[in-house]
Amino acid sequence: MSEYKNIESALIHGGIYGDEYTKAVNVPIYQTSTYEQNGLGETPKWEYSRTGNPTRAALEALIAELEGGTSGFAFASGMAAITAVLSLFHTGDKILISSNVYGGTFRVLDKIFSNFGIGYSIEDTTNINELEKKITSDVKAILVESPANPLLTVTDLKAVADLAKKHSILSIVDNTFMTPYLQRPIELGVDIVIHSATKYLGGHSDVVAGLVVVNDDELAKKIAFIQNSTGGVLAPFDSFLLIRGIKTLAVRLDRHVENAEKAAYFLKEHKAVKKVYYPGLPDAQGYEINKKQAKNGGVMISFELYENYNIKKFFKSLKLVALAESLGGVESLVCHPATMTHASIPYEIRQKIGITDGLIRLSIGIENIDDILSDIEQAIAESEE
Ligand SMILES: *Cc1c(COP(=O)(O)O)cnc(C)c1O
């Protein structure tokens, strides 16, 4: 057993370390669907890999430890994780969601869970007093992201957790943008944490995965039942890739954040840039709250160019920074929320919540920052009309 006090060490030694049979320092990939049983009626520890697999179990123990929860669960994607959590609810229940949630979260509620009579409403979760007024008797949960996608809106997570407790409903936080290295919602009283581990936890744009962490045994039993019943589990090899990715989370994020802070100031001072959204800038919405609940402003930046810059040309002119969905990998990526990540949100709603057609979202990688910034600089110059 390892001894450590800090998360940098937990990232490497946490959960289940190595292999008890061979003393391999890495958890092996247990590429098996089933396990031989000793005899009838003797309940085995491992019986079938949808129910449990040692590689996946090591990852699940690791994420539970990192988030400070009691149990973790690994799924085949972030959306499979979100779907499992939403499967806790029943016909007639309603969920309040923050106005900038991930487009896919909105879509699964709007187009799938609505078929089962589970409702949702989009609320400004930054205003806790207004949010409380929306908690009618059918509301059973509040689901938020902070910073939220793509305007990096900050919600007070402790206030949401307290509000949910007061009304005996669940608080759910999608912590994808921050990871437990920068923000730990369960320590603030949140009931359920969700991750698209496809992003920073995996970190190398080579695996699609989702994680859920809870801090209550009853809730853990329910999620385990849903995970085994609906079956959207993470494969052993992908579980291995995630464990491998998580080991370097601290060093990657330190560089990501250092680069992001430089990029945010670069954009803020640039004459072509109308507005920058980054929770690490002192004049950003929710700066003080973010500072209280997170280690720093994170990595994601959104910005708008003035109207005399052609954004189609801007995207075409980038050479190092790739136009792509997703975020959180070592390489810098850029996307256009209105036509990409948030295209499933109808135009009118997008306008209302501030996802304009001119908005650009940047996921700053860990390349040399001067190379990233000169690429952005030349693309801005190319796009001027
Ligand atoms: C990407 C993402 C998801 C969805 O995760 P997948 O792994 O793509 O299924 C959910 N929430 C946030 C905040 C995301 O960025």
Side-chain angles (χ1 to χ4, degrees), residues 77-79 82 102 145 149 174 176-177 196 198-199 208-209 327:
S77 68
M79 285 318 305
I82 290 167
Y102 178 70
E145 291 173 27
N149 193 357
D174 181 334
T176 299
F177 273 30
S196 168
T198 311
K199 315 297 167 55
V208 171
L327 57 112

Side-chain angles (χ1 to χ4, degrees), residues 25-323:
V25 297
N26 284 304
V27 176
I29 302 166
Y30 283 92
Q31 192 67 42
T32 187
S33 61
T34 193
Y35 310 81
E36 189 177 341
Q37 306 193 7
N38 282 334
L40 285 183
E42 297 174 36
T43 315
K45 180 164 182 207
W46 307 105
E47 53 186 325
Y48 187 61
S49 278
R50 168 160 37 74
T51 320
N53 174 281
T55 317
R56 195 178 89 218
L59 169 66
E60 293 176 330
L62 176 60
I63 193 64
E65 179 174 333
L66 296 175
E67 287 286 1
T70 52
S71 304
F73 302 90
F75 294 90
S77 68
M79 285 318 305
I82 290 167
T83 297
V85 169
L86 294 177
S87 302
L88 288 166
F89 302 100
H90 300 98
T91 304
D93 290 352
K94 186 174 161 187
I95 299 158
L96 305 182
I97 61 173
S98 51
S99 56
N100 281 188
V101 288
Y102 178 70
T105 304
F106 167 81
R107 182 173 56 195
V108 79
L109 279 164
D110 191 56
K111 295 282 194 290
I112 308 283
F113 282 92
S114 60
N115 296 332
F116 302 99
I118 293 167
Y120 71 91
S121 79
I122 300 174
E123 304 297 344
D124 175 8
T125 53
T126 65
N127 188 333
I128 298 294
N129 291 333
E130 283 302 309
L131 185 62
E132 180 159 26
K133 289 183 197 154
K134 304 293 164 56
I135 304 179
T136 45
S137 63
D138 52 347
V139 169
K140 294 291 157 31
I142 308 170
L143 191 165
V144 304
E145 291 173 27
S146 183
N149 193 357
L151 292 177
L152 292 318
T153 327
V154 171
T155 288
D156 187 332
L157 298 181
K158 186 176 183 302
V160 167
D162 290 347
L163 186 63
K165 275 203 178 67
K166 182 175 159 194
H167 292 270
S168 304
I169 62 173
L170 292 172
S171 52
I172 306 167
V173 171
D174 181 334
N175 202 28
T176 299
F177 273 30
M178 287 314 228
T179 83
Y181 182 57
L182 302 182
Q183 175 171 282
R184 282 182 293 285
I186 283 176
E187 290 177 359
L188 303 169
V190 165
D191 297 303
I192 303 176
V193 167
I194 302 173
H195 282 283
S196 168
T198 311
K199 315 297 167 55
Y200 295 102
L201 293 173
H204 297 75
S205 306
D206 55 8
V207 60
V208 171
L211 297 167
V212 171
V213 180
V214 299
N215 198 27
D216 172 85
D217 289 342
E218 277 310 302
L219 209 44
K221 270 190 206 145
K222 286 183 189 169
I223 298 284
F225 184 80
I226 291 168
Q227 185 190 38
N228 188 42
S229 303
T230 59
V233 294
L234 192 64
F237 182 66
D238 289 351
S239 299
F240 164 83
L241 282 178
L242 259 194
I243 293 170
R244 179 180 159 97
I246 288 171
K247 285 182 200 289
T248 57
L249 184 69
V251 284
R252 281 188 287 112
L253 272 178
D254 284 349
R255 176 61 68 84
H256 272 296
V257 172
E258 188 187 320
N259 282 354
E261 284 171 355
K262 285 180 186 157
Y265 280 101
F266 165 84
L267 290 168
K268 192 176 156 58
E269 281 152 25
H270 202 291
K271 68 171 177 34
V273 177
K274 192 160 138 189
K275 183 145 179 61
V276 179
Y277 300 90
Y278 178 63
L281 290 174
D283 59 354
Q285 176 275 340
Y287 172 78
E288 290 299 334
I289 291 167
N290 186 69
K291 210 167 131 184
K292 203 175 62 183
Q293 68 193 15
K295 190 170 175 182
N296 51 49
V299 189
M300 298 305 295
I301 300 171
S302 290
F303 66 100
E304 276 181 77
L305 294 173
Y306 280 108
E307 285 73 14
N308 57 322
Y309 292 85
N310 179 327
I311 69 157
K312 266 202 171 140
K313 258 194 200 156
F314 171 78
F315 284 117
K316 266 258 182 284
S317 306
L318 288 165
K319 295 189 175 89
L320 177 71
V321 181
L323 174 62

